[in-house]
Amino acid sequence: LAADTQAVLEVAGSGEVVYAFPADFRGRLAARSALFKYEAAIARAAETLNYAARVGFGGALFVSLAVVAAAGVALAVVMASAGEDDGG
């Protein structure tokens, strides 16, 4: 990373040796790395897919509850009409 962006080693005031990155650090890194170029787009796509999955799961859950409720009502209607049918 330091070599790709042409960072230099400096000594901090506390005596630590640290890398000093240039002001256009992201631009230099993007020029060297295809993944870094598309990282923001990949993050947005992942966020969108995550949201779509949550919405899809919620919709499927709602539909399944509606189907179970409809089946319960249909079963109750069938049972009620079977009890009224006395054969004649």
Side-chain angles (χ1 to χ4, degrees), residues 46-82:
E47 185 177 319
T48 301
L49 288 174
N50 186 15
Y51 178 75
R54 288 185 308 186
V55 169
F57 179 78
L61 183 62
F62 180 74
V63 168
S64 68
L65 288 174
V67 168
V68 168
V73 169
L75 183 62
V77 168
V78 168
M79 295 299 283
S81 67

Side-chain angles (χ1 to χ4, degrees), residues 6-24:
Q6 299 175 346
V8 294
L9 286 173
E10 291 183 353
V11 178
S14 62
E16 296 177 328
V17 177
V18 295
Y19 279 104
F21 292 95
D24 61 343

